[in-house]
Amino acid sequence: MKKLLILLLIIGILFYSSGQTDEQQSIMPLLEDKLPGKPFESQLSKLQIPYWGIIVSVEERGYYHFVEFLIRKATHFFMFGLLAIAIYSVLPKIRYQALIALFITLALAIGDEYHQSLTDGRTQSSQDVLLDMAGAITFLISFRLIQLGLAKLWRKQKPRKSII
């Protein structure tokens, strides 16, 4: 039941976020307040990210807009990674559990982008869906590797019965 509540909470956060305008989601004042010296500006100035047919960079958008862009894209990656793990966790233990979790995550990513397109000033992006799925795949693989590693470790530490 706890896993289902976590899944519903993540879906709720995503639904709420995709229904907000850019202005409502903006963290620009926070960034300007917390990063007054523009840390790592010279390193970030070397990055140029193709997105929606344009190049997003410090030079093009300015330091704070670029940092906000990076945070928004990292949030996509992170939230859909968590979503995939939450979906995987509530599914029954079946053969293609991870693939089913990825398929459901893909459906929710597409739905999230569609919902976002209904919000004033927001558009849907197939690039965001790809980023969402990259997060989902990365998190699920990491989660499974950790599970398998812990299971192997647990089996090693389990005391063996003596034959004598």
PDB file of all heavy atoms in Angstrom, residues 61-78:
ATOM      1  N   ARG A  61      21.035  32.644 -23.577  1.00  0.00           N
ATOM      2  CA  ARG A  61      19.955  32.888 -22.629  1.00  0.00           C
ATOM      3  C   ARG A  61      20.359  33.679 -21.404  1.00  0.00           C
ATOM      4  O   ARG A  61      19.498  34.181 -20.699  1.00  0.00           O
ATOM      5  CB  ARG A  61      19.373  31.564 -22.164  1.00  0.00           C
ATOM      6  CG  ARG A  61      18.661  30.828 -23.266  1.00  0.00           C
ATOM      7  CD  ARG A  61      17.925  29.707 -22.683  1.00  0.00           C
ATOM      8  NE  ARG A  61      16.531  29.801 -23.073  1.00  0.00           N
ATOM      9  CZ  ARG A  61      15.635  28.921 -22.738  1.00  0.00           C
ATOM     10  NH1 ARG A  61      15.962  27.923 -21.979  1.00  0.00           N
ATOM     11  NH2 ARG A  61      14.393  29.048 -23.149  1.00  0.00           N
ATOM     12  N   GLY A  62      21.636  33.695 -21.112  1.00  0.00           N
ATOM     13  CA  GLY A  62      22.095  34.297 -19.862  1.00  0.00           C
ATOM     14  C   GLY A  62      22.304  33.203 -18.820  1.00  0.00           C
ATOM     15  O   GLY A  62      21.734  32.115 -18.910  1.00  0.00           O
ATOM     16  N   TYR A  63      23.106  33.504 -17.842  1.00  0.00           N
ATOM     17  CA  TYR A  63      23.522  32.525 -16.843  1.00  0.00           C
ATOM     18  C   TYR A  63      22.335  31.908 -16.098  1.00  0.00           C
ATOM     19  O   TYR A  63      22.193  30.687 -16.037  1.00  0.00           O
ATOM     20  CB  TYR A  63      24.491  33.185 -15.850  1.00  0.00           C
ATOM     21  CG  TYR A  63      24.871  32.301 -14.693  1.00  0.00           C
ATOM     22  CD1 TYR A  63      25.840  31.318 -14.834  1.00  0.00           C
ATOM     23  CD2 TYR A  63      24.263  32.447 -13.456  1.00  0.00           C
ATOM     24  CE1 TYR A  63      26.192  30.503 -13.777  1.00  0.00           C
ATOM     25  CE2 TYR A  63      24.614  31.644 -12.390  1.00  0.00           C
ATOM     26  CZ  TYR A  63      25.573  30.669 -12.549  1.00  0.00           C
ATOM     27  OH  TYR A  63      25.913  29.866 -11.500  1.00  0.00           O
ATOM     28  N   TYR A  64      21.481  32.732 -15.505  1.00  0.00           N
ATOM     29  CA  TYR A  64      20.404  32.215 -14.658  1.00  0.00           C
ATOM     30  C   TYR A  64      19.356  31.437 -15.455  1.00  0.00           C
ATOM     31  O   TYR A  64      18.860  30.419 -14.996  1.00  0.00           O
ATOM     32  CB  TYR A  64      19.756  33.346 -13.852  1.00  0.00           C
ATOM     33  CG  TYR A  64      20.719  33.940 -12.849  1.00  0.00           C
ATOM     34  CD1 TYR A  64      21.221  35.228 -13.008  1.00  0.00           C
ATOM     35  CD2 TYR A  64      21.151  33.194 -11.757  1.00  0.00           C
ATOM     36  CE1 TYR A  64      22.116  35.767 -12.105  1.00  0.00           C
ATOM     37  CE2 TYR A  64      22.044  33.718 -10.839  1.00  0.00           C
ATOM     38  CZ  TYR A  64      22.526  35.002 -11.018  1.00  0.00           C
ATOM     39  OH  TYR A  64      23.419  35.523 -10.117  1.00  0.00           O
ATOM     40  N   HIS A  65      19.037  31.893 -16.650  1.00  0.00           N
ATOM     41  CA  HIS A  65      18.094  31.145 -17.497  1.00  0.00           C
ATOM     42  C   HIS A  65      18.680  29.791 -17.894  1.00  0.00           C
ATOM     43  O   HIS A  65      17.965  28.790 -17.953  1.00  0.00           O
ATOM     44  CB  HIS A  65      17.728  31.949 -18.752  1.00  0.00           C
ATOM     45  CG  HIS A  65      16.762  33.053 -18.490  1.00  0.00           C
ATOM     46  ND1 HIS A  65      15.430  32.843 -18.253  1.00  0.00           N
ATOM     47  CD2 HIS A  65      16.956  34.395 -18.410  1.00  0.00           C
ATOM     48  CE1 HIS A  65      14.828  34.003 -18.041  1.00  0.00           C
ATOM     49  NE2 HIS A  65      15.728  34.956 -18.130  1.00  0.00           N
ATOM     50  N   PHE A  66      19.973  29.764 -18.161  1.00  0.00           N
ATOM     51  CA  PHE A  66      20.619  28.513 -18.540  1.00  0.00           C
ATOM     52  C   PHE A  66      20.635  27.533 -17.364  1.00  0.00           C
ATOM     53  O   PHE A  66      20.341  26.345 -17.528  1.00  0.00           O
ATOM     54  CB  PHE A  66      22.039  28.778 -19.047  1.00  0.00           C
ATOM     55  CG  PHE A  66      22.728  27.556 -19.565  1.00  0.00           C
ATOM     56  CD1 PHE A  66      22.310  26.933 -20.737  1.00  0.00           C
ATOM     57  CD2 PHE A  66      23.806  27.002 -18.886  1.00  0.00           C
ATOM     58  CE1 PHE A  66      22.944  25.798 -21.227  1.00  0.00           C
ATOM     59  CE2 PHE A  66      24.456  25.866 -19.363  1.00  0.00           C
ATOM     60  CZ  PHE A  66      24.016  25.268 -20.536  1.00  0.00           C
ATOM     61  N   VAL A  67      20.973  28.022 -16.183  1.00  0.00           N
ATOM     62  CA  VAL A  67      20.973  27.162 -14.993  1.00  0.00           C
ATOM     63  C   VAL A  67      19.560  26.638 -14.731  1.00  0.00           C
ATOM     64  O   VAL A  67      19.374  25.452 -14.425  1.00  0.00           O
ATOM     65  CB  VAL A  67      21.536  27.906 -13.756  1.00  0.00           C
ATOM     66  CG1 VAL A  67      21.329  27.105 -12.478  1.00  0.00           C
ATOM     67  CG2 VAL A  67      23.021  28.225 -13.953  1.00  0.00           C
ATOM     68  N   GLU A  68      18.561  27.491 -14.876  1.00  0.00           N
ATOM     69  CA  GLU A  68      17.176  27.047 -14.694  1.00  0.00           C
ATOM     70  C   GLU A  68      16.821  25.972 -15.726  1.00  0.00           C
ATOM     71  O   GLU A  68      16.166  24.972 -15.391  1.00  0.00           O
ATOM     72  CB  GLU A  68      16.213  28.225 -14.805  1.00  0.00           C
ATOM     73  CG  GLU A  68      14.765  27.810 -14.540  1.00  0.00           C
ATOM     74  CD  GLU A  68      13.793  28.956 -14.632  1.00  0.00           C
ATOM     75  OE1 GLU A  68      13.791  29.674 -15.667  1.00  0.00           O
ATOM     76  OE2 GLU A  68      13.016  29.120 -13.673  1.00  0.00           O
ATOM     77  N   PHE A  69      17.245  26.151 -16.955  1.00  0.00           N
ATOM     78  CA  PHE A  69      17.014  25.162 -18.004  1.00  0.00           C
ATOM     79  C   PHE A  69      17.627  23.817 -17.602  1.00  0.00           C
ATOM     80  O   PHE A  69      16.988  22.775 -17.707  1.00  0.00           O
ATOM     81  CB  PHE A  69      17.611  25.652 -19.333  1.00  0.00           C
ATOM     82  CG  PHE A  69      17.585  24.637 -20.428  1.00  0.00           C
ATOM     83  CD1 PHE A  69      16.435  24.416 -21.177  1.00  0.00           C
ATOM     84  CD2 PHE A  69      18.720  23.885 -20.732  1.00  0.00           C
ATOM     85  CE1 PHE A  69      16.408  23.467 -22.193  1.00  0.00           C
ATOM     86  CE2 PHE A  69      18.711  22.941 -21.742  1.00  0.00           C
ATOM     87  CZ  PHE A  69      17.548  22.727 -22.478  1.00  0.00           C
ATOM     88  N   LEU A  70      18.874  23.830 -17.133  1.00  0.00           N
ATOM     89  CA  LEU A  70      19.541  22.593 -16.714  1.00  0.00           C
ATOM     90  C   LEU A  70      18.795  21.921 -15.554  1.00  0.00           C
ATOM     91  O   LEU A  70      18.628  20.700 -15.540  1.00  0.00           O
ATOM     92  CB  LEU A  70      20.993  22.875 -16.314  1.00  0.00           C
ATOM     93  CG  LEU A  70      21.948  23.290 -17.425  1.00  0.00           C
ATOM     94  CD1 LEU A  70      23.326  23.616 -16.844  1.00  0.00           C
ATOM     95  CD2 LEU A  70      22.047  22.231 -18.503  1.00  0.00           C
ATOM     96  N   ILE A  71      18.335  22.722 -14.613  1.00  0.00           N
ATOM     97  CA  ILE A  71      17.596  22.174 -13.467  1.00  0.00           C
ATOM     98  C   ILE A  71      16.277  21.560 -13.929  1.00  0.00           C
ATOM     99  O   ILE A  71      15.900  20.467 -13.491  1.00  0.00           O
ATOM    100  CB  ILE A  71      17.376  23.253 -12.388  1.00  0.00           C
ATOM    101  CG1 ILE A  71      18.717  23.602 -11.733  1.00  0.00           C
ATOM    102  CG2 ILE A  71      16.344  22.809 -11.348  1.00  0.00           C
ATOM    103  CD1 ILE A  71      18.682  24.815 -10.819  1.00  0.00           C
ATOM    104  N   ARG A  72      15.588  22.237 -14.826  1.00  0.00           N
ATOM    105  CA  ARG A  72      14.318  21.695 -15.334  1.00  0.00           C
ATOM    106  C   ARG A  72      14.526  20.359 -16.052  1.00  0.00           C
ATOM    107  O   ARG A  72      13.756  19.412 -15.882  1.00  0.00           O
ATOM    108  CB  ARG A  72      13.647  22.683 -16.288  1.00  0.00           C
ATOM    109  CG  ARG A  72      12.973  23.824 -15.592  1.00  0.00           C
ATOM    110  CD  ARG A  72      12.290  24.709 -16.615  1.00  0.00           C
ATOM    111  NE  ARG A  72      11.692  25.857 -15.979  1.00  0.00           N
ATOM    112  CZ  ARG A  72      10.504  26.342 -16.295  1.00  0.00           C
ATOM    113  NH1 ARG A  72       9.791  25.779 -17.240  1.00  0.00           N
ATOM    114  NH2 ARG A  72      10.042  27.397 -15.683  1.00  0.00           N
ATOM    115  N   LYS A  73      15.568  20.275 -16.864  1.00  0.00           N
ATOM    116  CA  LYS A  73      15.818  19.036 -17.605  1.00  0.00           C
ATOM    117  C   LYS A  73      16.288  17.933 -16.653  1.00  0.00           C
ATOM    118  O   LYS A  73      15.912  16.769 -16.811  1.00  0.00           O
ATOM    119  CB  LYS A  73      16.827  19.268 -18.733  1.00  0.00           C
ATOM    120  CG  LYS A  73      16.328  20.263 -19.785  1.00  0.00           C
ATOM    121  CD  LYS A  73      14.941  19.907 -20.274  1.00  0.00           C
ATOM    122  CE  LYS A  73      14.167  21.107 -20.749  1.00  0.00           C
ATOM    123  NZ  LYS A  73      12.762  20.835 -20.992  1.00  0.00           N
ATOM    124  N   ALA A  74      17.082  18.288 -15.659  1.00  0.00           N
ATOM    125  CA  ALA A  74      17.505  17.297 -14.660  1.00  0.00           C
ATOM    126  C   ALA A  74      16.300  16.793 -13.875  1.00  0.00           C
ATOM    127  O   ALA A  74      16.228  15.604 -13.527  1.00  0.00           O
ATOM    128  CB  ALA A  74      18.541  17.907 -13.715  1.00  0.00           C
ATOM    129  N   THR A  75      15.344  17.665 -13.629  1.00  0.00           N
ATOM    130  CA  THR A  75      14.131  17.273 -12.913  1.00  0.00           C
ATOM    131  C   THR A  75      13.325  16.273 -13.739  1.00  0.00           C
ATOM    132  O   THR A  75      12.791  15.304 -13.190  1.00  0.00           O
ATOM    133  CB  THR A  75      13.282  18.515 -12.565  1.00  0.00           C
ATOM    134  OG1 THR A  75      14.082  19.393 -11.768  1.00  0.00           O
ATOM    135  CG2 THR A  75      12.030  18.136 -11.806  1.00  0.00           C
ATOM    136  N   HIS A  76      13.234  16.488 -15.047  1.00  0.00           N
ATOM    137  CA  HIS A  76      12.576  15.511 -15.924  1.00  0.00           C
ATOM    138  C   HIS A  76      13.229  14.142 -15.750  1.00  0.00           C
ATOM    139  O   HIS A  76      12.560  13.139 -15.516  1.00  0.00           O
ATOM    140  CB  HIS A  76      12.717  15.915 -17.404  1.00  0.00           C
ATOM    141  CG  HIS A  76      11.581  16.715 -17.941  1.00  0.00           C
ATOM    142  ND1 HIS A  76      10.445  16.138 -18.446  1.00  0.00           N
ATOM    143  CD2 HIS A  76      11.408  18.045 -18.067  1.00  0.00           C
ATOM    144  CE1 HIS A  76       9.628  17.082 -18.860  1.00  0.00           C
ATOM    145  NE2 HIS A  76      10.192  18.250 -18.644  1.00  0.00           N
ATOM    146  N   PHE A  77      14.541  14.111 -15.900  1.00  0.00           N
ATOM    147  CA  PHE A  77      15.308  12.868 -15.819  1.00  0.00           C
ATOM    148  C   PHE A  77      15.079  12.181 -14.464  1.00  0.00           C
ATOM    149  O   PHE A  77      14.771  10.990 -14.407  1.00  0.00           O
ATOM    150  CB  PHE A  77      16.795  13.206 -16.013  1.00  0.00           C
ATOM    151  CG  PHE A  77      17.699  12.011 -16.083  1.00  0.00           C
ATOM    152  CD1 PHE A  77      17.922  11.371 -17.292  1.00  0.00           C
ATOM    153  CD2 PHE A  77      18.353  11.549 -14.953  1.00  0.00           C
ATOM    154  CE1 PHE A  77      18.792  10.273 -17.367  1.00  0.00           C
ATOM    155  CE2 PHE A  77      19.217  10.460 -15.019  1.00  0.00           C
ATOM    156  CZ  PHE A  77      19.426   9.825 -16.225  1.00  0.00           C
ATOM    157  N   PHE A  78      15.207  12.933 -13.394  1.00  0.00           N
ATOM    158  CA  PHE A  78      15.108  12.406 -12.039  1.00  0.00           C
ATOM    159  C   PHE A  78      13.688  11.931 -11.710  1.00  0.00           C
ATOM    160  O   PHE A  78      13.493  10.822 -11.199  1.00  0.00           O
ATOM    161  CB  PHE A  78      15.564  13.490 -11.048  1.00  0.00           C
ATOM    162  CG  PHE A  78      15.584  13.044  -9.622  1.00  0.00           C
ATOM    163  CD1 PHE A  78      16.607  12.248  -9.142  1.00  0.00           C
ATOM    164  CD2 PHE A  78      14.578  13.428  -8.748  1.00  0.00           C
ATOM    165  CE1 PHE A  78      16.634  11.838  -7.816  1.00  0.00           C
ATOM    166  CE2 PHE A  78      14.590  13.018  -7.432  1.00  0.00           C
ATOM    167  CZ  PHE A  78      15.626  12.224  -6.958  1.00  0.00           C
TER     168      PHE A  78
END
